[in-house]
Amino acid sequence: MQTARVGIARPVAQIKVTRTGTKADGPPGAARRNAILRGDCVSLLRALPEASVDLVFADPPYNLQLAGALSRPDQSVVDAVDDDWDKFADFSAYDAFTKDWLAAARRAMKPQATIFVIGSYHNIFRVGAIMQDLGFWILNDIVWRKTNPMPNFRGRRFTNAHETMIWAARDAGAKRYTFNYEALKAANEDCQMRSDWLLPICVGAERLKDERGRKAHPTQKPEALLARIMQAASQPGDLVLDPFFGSGTTGAVAKRLRRDYLGFERESSYIDAAQARIAAVEPLDADMLAPAPSKRAEPRIAFVSLIEAGLIAPGTPLTDAKRRHKATVRADGTLLIGGVIGSIHKTGALAQGLPACNGWTFWHFEESGALSPIDDLRQQARDLLREAAE
């Protein structure tokens, strides 16, 4: 959450943006990557080429509506968000701002692009409703559970220990958006990655400080959060847009993970801090970022193809892993079980009395006294195809 709040709209030709301290007239071009543009986020979003962005991460003002200073029990003042960029006249003004930047961001997204928007209970429900009104298709809401949240000093409410992210596709028809399912599952001890993420808030050496030792930005997000987002929903070389760039967490993580970034920010002090931070980042070796193999991306192999390739012969008996059920391979790629003929999936479901079954993992063949799933033969068939292509 940072400062690119909408002001009075101006024609695109009059927008002034800065990059490393130099001014430039006109909108950013299609090749504008790895840059921080200074200016109003809505105007800059509208100036982007249509369908040019692969991923959007947005941390907009939360509209916290703080009425006064917040104190700890010892009467020391909490360093809360009280900047002008988080102040709006009323909910209508906030909703109008939200609708403007979201509509402009949606226009800049490629058909397969997705967007993450993070917020608190103050704003995320309004943001979600506006996203749906604009045509976004919500894929998940993700709860960032903080291991070290700020306590509720007044003791009148529950501790605010989480923030919510909305992950959405550009529209309901989006089918080929990036989701690195296999990589996330492997990183999560071979369990599907859940929608609740337990991560600490930004502390220690990662927290940027100004020359007086104060926070350079009040709501700096942890790099671990952005790393998980990018590793989940982008590939190396993708363009990640952050219209509320702040202290540059998005840019720093993008550079480390070999993604390109584009950030919009109004405050010069934030831009300076972000540029220095990003300049110090060393990208990871490319081989450390190669996408994990995806079964969905592999060529489709029918069971009959295994017979045609000589990997399994008609008449071969198949069984489940516990040898409770038996079936016989037929020449046409179907199985025979108890007088019933069907696919590997339908016969597997029939054997178990279930409505559906993954026959590739249910049925096993025996070789040298050991059972192996027929999915192993499918992988051999894919290897043969790969060798033939080479």
Side-chain angles (χ1 to χ4, degrees), residues 161-177:
H162 76 278
E163 293 183 30
T164 301
M165 285 190 295
I166 295 173
W167 180 41
R170 200 183 72 169
D171 52 62
K175 301 297 183 184
R176 298 185 179 276
Y177 55 86

Side-chain angles (χ1 to χ4, degrees), residues 8 11 23 41 109 120 176 183 198 240 244 247 249 268 288 291 314 373:
I8 300 174
K23 291 188 177 181
C41 73
M109 292 169 62
S120 68
R176 298 185 179 276
L198 183 63
V240 182
F244 307 94
S247 59
T249 302
S268 297
M288 295 293 99

Side-chain angles (χ1 to χ4, degrees), residues 33-36 239-240 245 250-251 254-255 259-263 278:
R33 287 173 175 247
N34 302 317
I36 309 171
L239 177 60
V240 182
F245 203 64
T250 299
K255 183 178 178 182
R259 276 71 168 166
D260 292 332
Y261 67 88
L262 177 60
I278 295 169

